[in-house]
Amino acid sequence: MRMKSRSIEQMIEDQVRKWQFSQTKPKADVPFRPIVTISREPGSGGNIIGERLARRLDLDLFHQEVIHEMAKSANVSARLLETLDEKGLSMLDDWMAYIVDARHMWPDQYIKHLMKVIGAIGRHGGAVLIGRGANFILPPERRFSVRVIAPFEVRAANVARNHQVPEKEARQHITKTDSQRRAFIRKYFNTSIADPFNYDMVLNTGTASIDGAVEAIAAFLGLTSSGQTAAQARKRSFAASTAAH
C-alpha cells in the first residue's frame, strides 16, 4: 500500500512540475488544451477510449483510481491548489460554491477534496479524466463530457474476455459496478449517471468501434478549437462517427 502511495505522490510531483513549466511559456505559445471527461458503463471500453484519446491528442490522463487516491489526501489537494494563481483559486472557489448550491449538495471531506483536485486539473487544461463524476464538477464551458455505453451482453463478453473470467462472474461484476457508480453520482451530485442530457456526446461501442469513438471525439475537439460553434461541431462529429462504423 505504501508503494502505491509513493507512486501517487511521485505522479503528483511530476504533474506539478509539468504545470509549473508550462506556466513559464508565453501564452501565445500555448496550444489549445481541451479537458475531456469520460463516464463509462463497465465493459464498454471507456477506459481504452480515454487512453487512446490522451495519446492521440497528447493530453494528460487521469484514471478513476488515481483521481480517487488524490482526493483521499488533503495534502495532495493542497499541493495541486498551489499551482493555481490567485485568480484561478478565486474562480475555483466561486464555482465550487455554485455547484454545491445548484445541485443541493451536502459535501463531506472526500467530495470537497475531489472537487479541488478535479477543479485544479480543469484550470490547467489538457487532460482526459475518467470517472469520479468529473463532468458534474467542471464548468460546461471548460470541458467536453462523454458517456460511453454498450448493450449488457456486449459488456459481459468484453469483461469475460479481457479479464479471463467466466461470463457469469463478468455479469455479476458489471451489475455490482453499475450499481456502485449510479449510487455515487446520485449521492454526491443528486442526478442520474445515465441521463444523456448530462453529457455532450454519448457513444455506443456496441455499434461504434473504439477507434471510431476516439475519432468522433477528436473531430469535435478539432472543430471547436478552430472556432466553429458547438452545434456545427456536433453535426460534423456525428458525421465522422457514422462514417467510422
Side-chain angles (χ1 to χ4, degrees):
M1 191 67 182
R2 269 181 278 176
M3 285 182 63
K4 185 175 182 180
S5 177
R6 284 199 300 271
S7 176
I8 292 293
E9 290 172 3
Q10 184 59 54
M11 179 190 156
I12 296 307
E13 287 306 312
D14 291 344
Q15 188 66 53
V16 166
R17 283 194 291 271
K18 183 176 181 179
W19 283 337
Q20 290 172 336
F21 176 74
S22 67
Q23 289 172 338
T24 64
K25 296 181 180 180
K27 288 188 177 180
D29 296 337
V30 179
F32 173 67
R33 300 280 285 164
I35 283 282
V36 181
T37 66
I38 296 183
S39 169
R40 70 276 183 246
E41 292 183 327
S44 65
N47 285 347
I48 301 173
I49 290 171
E51 292 164 3
R52 292 188 185 179
L53 182 70
R55 285 198 301 269
R56 163 79 185 276
L57 301 180
D58 191 25
L59 303 176
D60 298 324
L61 176 66
F62 295 88
H63 275 288
Q64 171 179 312
E65 296 79 10
V66 173
I67 297 173
H68 175 64
E69 289 297 320
M70 291 162 68
K72 291 196 312 186
S73 170
N75 291 333
V76 168
S77 62
R79 183 75 177 103
L80 294 184
L81 292 181
E82 290 174 2
T83 65
L84 300 180
D85 58 21
E86 186 175 340
K87 179 181 178 181
L89 285 171
S90 176
M91 293 180 70
L92 180 56
D93 286 340
D94 289 346
W95 176 252
M96 285 173 56
Y98 169 77
I99 61 174
V100 166
D101 181 64
R103 292 194 173 277
H104 308 290
M105 295 167 59
W106 296 93
D108 55 23
Q109 279 301 111
Y110 173 79
I111 200 66
K112 288 178 182 178
H113 293 321
L114 181 67
M115 287 193 290
K116 290 176 181 178
V117 165
I118 291 177
I121 296 171
R123 291 300 305 172
H124 287 288
V128 174
L129 292 85
I130 301 177
R132 292 289 89 178
N135 60 300
F136 300 111
I137 294 175
L138 295 173
E141 66 274 12
R142 294 192 66 86
R143 53 93 176 125
F144 181 64
S145 59
V146 179
R147 174 74 171 164
V148 183
I149 64 172
F152 189 90
E153 297 298 327
V154 172
R155 295 190 286 137
N158 288 342
V159 171
R161 180 183 64 253
N162 295 338
H163 297 277
Q164 296 186 332
V165 297
E167 191 155 319
K168 179 180 179 181
E169 184 176 333
R171 290 170 176 272
Q172 292 172 340
H173 168 77
I174 288 175
T175 301
K176 180 180 178 181
T177 306
D178 267 335
S179 178
Q180 289 173 337
R181 290 178 183 173
R182 283 196 302 268
F184 177 84
I185 297 302
R186 177 63 66 187
K187 175 183 178 181
Y188 286 118
F189 303 107
N190 197 28
T191 190
S192 169
I193 194 173
D195 186 345
F197 289 103
N198 284 326
Y199 306 95
D200 299 304
M201 180 182 288
V202 178
L203 294 165
N204 179 2
T205 54
T207 54
S209 68
I210 295 295
D211 287 337
V214 172
E215 289 303 314
I217 300 170
F220 183 96
L221 295 173
L223 291 169
T224 54
S225 68
S226 67
Q228 296 198 35
T229 66
Q232 290 171 325
R234 285 192 181 91
K235 184 181 294 185
R236 291 284 298 278
S237 63
F238 174 78
S241 64
T242 302
H245 288 184

